[in-house]
C-alpha cells in the first residue's frame, strides 16, 4: 500500500505592493519607501535607510552622507 502525504494548500496571499525605491545615503542600497523603513529628517529632507544602524550612523555624522540620494519627496 502506498502512502501519500496530503498537503493543505494555504490561501493565496495577495502580493504586497511595493513603494517607490530610494537609495540609502549610507550604504547606497536601494530601499523601499515603506512605512516601516528607518528614516531621519535632515535640513528639511527625509532620508530612508536599509537598517536602523545606518540611520544611527547618519544621525551621528549629520549630513556627511547627504548628496540627494535617499531623499523622499
Amino acid at each position: 500500500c502506498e502512502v501519500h502525504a496530503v498537503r493543505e494548500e494555504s490561501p493565496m496571499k495577495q502580493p504586497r505592493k511595493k513603494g517607490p525605491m530610494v537609495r540609502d545615503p549610507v550604504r547606497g542600497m536601494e530601499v523601499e519607501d515603506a512605512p516601516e523603513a528607518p528614516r531621519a529628517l535632515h535640513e528639511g529632507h527625509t532620508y530612508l535607510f536599509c537598517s536602523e544602524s545606518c540611520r544611527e550612523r547618519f544621525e551621528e555624522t549629520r549630513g556627511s552622507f547627504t548628496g540627494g540620494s535617499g531623499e523622499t519627496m
Side-chain angles (χ1 to χ4, degrees):
C1 184
E2 213 173 295
V3 178
H4 296 278
V6 177
R7 185 170 47 173
E8 290 185 36
E9 296 295 324
S10 61
M12 280 193 135
K13 291 183 180 178
Q14 292 285 10
R16 186 171 72 84
K17 291 183 180 179
K18 289 193 171 196
M21 302 298 282
V22 296
R23 192 167 303 279
D24 176 324
V26 176
R27 289 193 184 162
M29 297 175 64
E30 290 287 312
V31 178
E32 181 184 355
D33 184 359
E36 65 273 8
R39 46 188 83 224
L41 186 63
H42 178 68
E43 295 183 352
H45 298 283
T46 302
Y47 294 87
L48 275 69
F49 304 90
C50 63
S51 67
E52 191 61 32
S53 62
C54 280
R55 186 198 63 79
E56 290 169 0
R57 187 170 172 203
F58 180 87
E59 294 277 0
E60 290 169 0
T61 59
R62 270 300 177 193
S64 67
F65 295 103
T66 60
S69 61
E71 292 180 48
T72 64
M73 300 297 163

